[in-house]
Every structure is written in structure tokens, then in C-alpha cells.
Amino acid sequence: MARPTILVVGAGFAGVECVRRLERELSPGEAEILLVTPFSYQLYLPLLPQVAAGVLTPQSVALSLRRSTRHRTRIVPGGAIGIDTAAKAVVVRKITGETVAQRYDHLVLAPGSITRTFDIPGLVEHARGMKTLAEAAYIRDHVIAQLDIADASHDEAERASRLQFVVVGGGYAGTETAACLQRLTTAAVKRYPRLDPRQIKWHLIDIAPKLMPELGDRLGAVALDILHRRGIEVSLGVSVAKAGAESVTFTDGRELPCRTLIWTAGVAASPLMATLGTETVKGRLLVRPDMTVPGADGVFALGDAAAVPDLVKGDGAVCPPTAQHAMRQGRKAAANVIASLRGKPLEPYVHKDLGLVVDLGGKDAVSKPLGIELRGLPAQAVARGYHWGAVRTGVAKTRVLTNWLLNAVAGDDFVRTGFLARKPGTLRDFEYTDAYLGQDEVREHTAALRASM
């Protein structure tokens, strides 16, 4: 009798934790484990701002799947672009461009999220995201390039537009991105004799009335004060009305000369979820507390792409799309897949949020572990200690720690590698948001499997 196939889609926090537990708990004869992912690494997303700032190298946050798994999982190098639950198959576009239908007995969907955008003129053409390793590397090159070009320019208008930077999104990602990159440009400008440091201006804007409301009023005020002291202009209750190649217009009527717009205003579930044809909640797949998908036999969904009920908060709340929840959901989903294989009852996911850590670069940080409010060096120690512990492989831990020590002793470097130097990288280019199939197209790819059932 053939072994059942467990197909895991996505190598983020949720997917990798699921695979690790499946490998640990299942005997080789119980199931075949497949992992669909276009890249052979797990991205440690919370440290991307430090990659963009050059504090960490890209390899430091790209955790090798070959090291973090036990070699029992077969990695399918490609992206899932459609799902046919009736045929029990996932349509996969491999990195070679070949499209195949991969069947499954149990499916775990953890494809993560993409940058959430709105119908704002010029946004998708001119904004840059901070969701992938390539985007972080691109933004670093782009920011340093603006300094290089401004230093060489004799046009004051061009210089002004290249030295203004706008980050949209006052949450965790946006705040850290603005803080880390502002620190980079402040250090770099000393190497440019023709640039006045006062010309470099960073703006952080968010439509919300508070900066990182998850921190609470006091720590939020501390973080806001740190940014103000750094010279970052924070505008709350404001968003982007229009984006252009050389300017950004805000909803309060201001128009800034600007050639760098970094968009971190939230995330949306992977478009893969829409190909199932089942119910969603604001784009996230509706699931039961045990993470099974109603109406889809053998399908589990978790992480940023699923609306997993938050049983601790209750009142219909769903778990926020954070790494903390994704990792624990991955382990629970694996336990439920194993229980399903062995004919045992499934258990609901329950987890109380443990807090938030925010690394603003240098000695600046604010953290709220287990409800305890910290700032400054104690907060920095907690933030970096948490991230260092969460990085799974020994090689990655060594790289991260070495990079932090090197940056602390030697300071920043300002090398521009020339990554995509002649091509403006858009959100669509980096996040492949137009790669997914419609339901009819999915059925075309799975027709042979349907006929054989």
C-alpha cells in the first residue's frame, strides 16, 4: 500500500515548523512529506530591515532548508499557483517554468502573505516593498544610489527629490525600516563632502492615529520620541494620495519631491487562497479552530493566509499575522495532520500572545515581553536575544551574531552592489502577484487526475 502524501505549501515560519514536527513525529513508513517552495531557504522576515541597512548580510536571514530539516522532506522547487480540492491536487509552477499537478492526501497551506496595496494612482508602479530578501537588497542599493546621484548632481531640484525618503506604515515593519535606513544614511552622509546632512529627510506616515498601537500608549510614545530625536518626521492620520516617479502626494495635501517610497502598510493573504473557491475573511481562508478548511477534505490552512480563530481573545477574533502565531500554528497543524493519519481527534489552536520586540538600531529599542515594558539597552538585549534564539540553524546564528558584533565595532558600510540597477523593481516583480490561476485554469491542469479518480 502506497504511503499517504502530505503536501506542505510555503516555507515560512508556519510551513517550516510544520515540516520539522512532521519529520520528528512520523516514522518513514507512515507518510511521504513534500514541501513546495520557490526558494531553498526560510526567510527570517523580522530582520529584513537590518539587511536593508547593511547590518546583516542577506545570507544571515536566509535559513537553509537543507540544514533546518532532517532530509526526509522532498523539496519541490516552485510556487503553488492553484488548488483543486476535488481532485486533491495543487498546481505547481516549477522554477524551470514547467507546470505540474501535484496530488496530495493531506494538504497544509502556509503560503504566507503579500504586501497589501490600495487603489492609489502610481502606487504599484513606484512603491517598493519590504517583504522579500530581494526587496531588502534592492532597497539598500536604491537608497545608497540616491546619495551617490545627489552628491554628483548640480541640479538642486533633483538633489532635493533624491534626499527625501518616505516610508508608509507605522507598524512593526515600517517603523523598523525607517529607523534602520535613517541610521544608515546618517552614517553614510559623512562620506559625501558635497551633501549637507540636513538635506536628508526621512518621513514615516500611517493612516492610524497611533504608532505601533500594540505597544501601548507609553512605549508607543517612547518609540515616537526616538524617531523624532533621530530627525524622522512622523505623520499619523495621513496616507498617500498619489505616487509619482519624482514626487509623493499625501492625503493632507502636501506634495514632497521624493524618489523613494517604501510601502509597508500591512499584508494581504497570498492570492493562492482565492483559487480554492471556499469562504475567506478579508482574503484570509476561513478555517476551524483546529485549522481544517470547511468543505475541503484533508486541507489545513494556517499562518498569514488563514483566519485562525483566536480562542484566547474570543468574540470572533482571529490570530494576527505574526511570526509568533505562525510558528506555533505550524506545530499544532502538524500534530493535527498526524492525529488525522492515526485516526485520533484533532485539537484546537490556542496561544496567548507573548509580546512584541522592536529593534530601532544601535542602542535604541522598545520591547514588551510578557507585558513588561522595556526601553533602551534592556529592550535591545531582549529584542536581539529573541531574534537570535528564533533563528533555527547554527550557521545562521553564527552569521547573525558575527554581523552584529562587526557592525558594533566597525560601523556601517555603504557598498552598492548594482542589484537591478537599471530596472525599477516593482511590488509585482518581487512578489509575483500576477502568477496565480483562475479556477477554470486550475481544473484544466488537474483534468487528468480528475479523470483517473
Side-chain angles (χ1 to χ4, degrees):
M1 183 177 177
R3 294 179 299 168
T5 298
I6 302 172
L7 183 63
V8 180
V9 174
F13 289 105
V16 170
E17 287 298 318
C18 180
V19 165
R20 285 165 59 91
R21 179 153 187 173
L22 289 171
E23 288 185 325
R24 187 168 60 250
E25 300 292 335
L26 289 173
S27 65
E30 282 188 275
E32 179 185 23
I33 307 168
L34 274 63
L35 176 62
V36 176
T37 174
F39 307 109
S40 61
Y41 62 80
Q42 175 197 355
L43 177 63
Y44 191 80
L45 195 64
L47 290 177
L48 271 190
Q50 295 192 32
V51 173
V55 175
L56 297 176
T57 61
Q59 294 93 333
S60 302
V61 300
L63 282 60
S64 169
L65 295 176
R66 307 291 179 183
R67 289 181 179 272
S68 56
T69 62
R70 298 187 177 189
H71 313 300
R72 278 188 50 206
T73 298
R74 179 158 62 89
I75 297 175
V76 180
I81 57 175
I83 301 168
D84 186 341
T85 56
K88 284 202 158 189
V90 173
V91 181
V92 178
R93 180 172 291 139
K94 294 185 178 181
I95 59 175
T96 60
E98 176 190 4
T99 301
V100 298
Q102 175 63 57
R103 67 163 303 280
Y104 65 82
D105 295 292
H106 297 273
L107 174 62
V108 180
L109 293 173
S113 56
I114 60 172
T115 300
R116 180 181 62 183
T117 57
F118 301 95
D119 189 19
I120 297 172
L123 180 65
V124 296
E125 293 83 9
H126 301 293
R128 312 292 173 249
M130 183 62 79
K131 198 78 176 64
T132 68
L133 193 59
E135 283 174 317
Y138 175 85
I139 285 175
R140 173 173 170 77
D141 265 21
H142 173 80
V143 168
I144 295 173
Q146 302 316 297
L147 302 183
D148 289 345
I149 298 169
D151 186 62
S153 177
H154 296 284
D155 185 329
E156 289 301 321
E158 179 187 20
R159 181 176 292 187
S161 69
R162 293 195 181 279
L163 296 180
Q164 294 229 58
F165 305 90
V166 175
V167 179
V168 183
Y172 175 96
T175 302
E176 285 203 336
T177 296
C180 289
L181 287 173
Q182 183 272 340
R183 189 169 177 269
L184 171 69
T185 56
T186 298
V189 74
K190 299 171 185 177
R191 310 282 180 167
Y192 293 83
R194 296 185 65 244
L195 295 184
D196 183 343
R198 293 170 296 182
Q199 292 178 297
I200 300 177
K201 297 179 181 178
W202 281 87
H203 303 263
L204 176 63
I205 72 169
D206 195 287
I207 195 65
K210 294 182 180 180
L211 186 73
M212 290 186 293
E214 305 92 338
L215 285 172
D217 290 342
R218 284 188 297 183
L219 277 188
V222 171
L224 188 61
D225 181 61
I226 290 171
L227 298 180
H228 282 156
R229 284 191 284 107
R230 294 260 200 95
I232 299 173
E233 183 176 325
V234 180
S235 300
L236 300 174
V238 177
S239 189
V240 172
K242 182 173 64 175
E246 299 181 12
S247 67
V248 176
T249 303
F250 295 160
T251 52
D252 61 5
R254 285 180 293 160
E255 182 177 358
L256 293 180
C258 171
R259 306 205 189 200
T260 306
L261 174 61
I262 302 173
W263 184 267
T264 66
V267 297
S270 166
L272 179 66
M273 298 297 96
T275 71
L276 272 79
T278 58
E279 189 176 349
T280 59
V281 178
K282 295 182 179 180
R284 300 173 75 183
L285 202 63
L286 179 68
V287 298
R288 302 184 182 98
D290 58 11
M291 291 173 284
T292 55
V293 179
D297 179 46
V299 180
F300 297 77
L302 56 152
D304 292 5
V308 180
D310 190 335
L311 299 183
V312 173
K313 291 184 178 179
D315 296 324
V318 298
C319 297
T322 64
Q324 183 181 147
H325 279 291
M327 292 170 70
R328 287 166 175 80
Q329 287 170 11
R331 293 193 284 269
K332 178 59 72 174
N336 282 340
V337 169
I338 294 168
S340 180
L341 279 170
R342 296 173 179 172
K344 296 182 179 179
L346 278 57
E347 298 180 354
Y349 169 75
V350 182
H351 171 65
K352 183 178 180 180
D353 198 294
L354 298 178
L356 184 68
V357 295
V358 183
D359 187 340
L360 298 174
K363 300 177 182 178
D364 294 327
V366 288
S367 299
K368 196 176 181 180
L370 301 174
I372 302 170
E373 296 186 351
L374 301 173
R375 63 192 71 181
L377 285 176
Q380 181 68 280
V382 169
R384 296 205 169 181
Y386 172 81
H387 290 313
W388 188 80
V391 172
R392 287 298 186 190
T393 69
V395 170
K397 285 179 184 291
T398 302
R399 282 180 174 149
V400 167
L401 187 58
T402 302
N403 286 174
W404 279 339
L405 291 173
L406 181 62
N407 182 258
V409 174
D412 300 296
D413 72 81
F414 320 110
V415 174
R416 176 165 53 88
T417 63
F419 180 64
L420 284 181
R422 295 180 178 272
K423 178 179 172 58
T426 66
L427 295 172
R428 186 177 294 109
D429 292 330
F430 285 117
E431 300 186 30
Y432 310 107
T433 54
D434 56 353
Y436 299 89
L437 302 178
Q439 291 183 29
D440 290 341
E441 293 174 299
V442 171
R443 292 189 184 95
E444 289 178 13
H445 286 282
T446 59
L449 285 176
R450 282 172 170 266
S452 65
M453 292 178 69

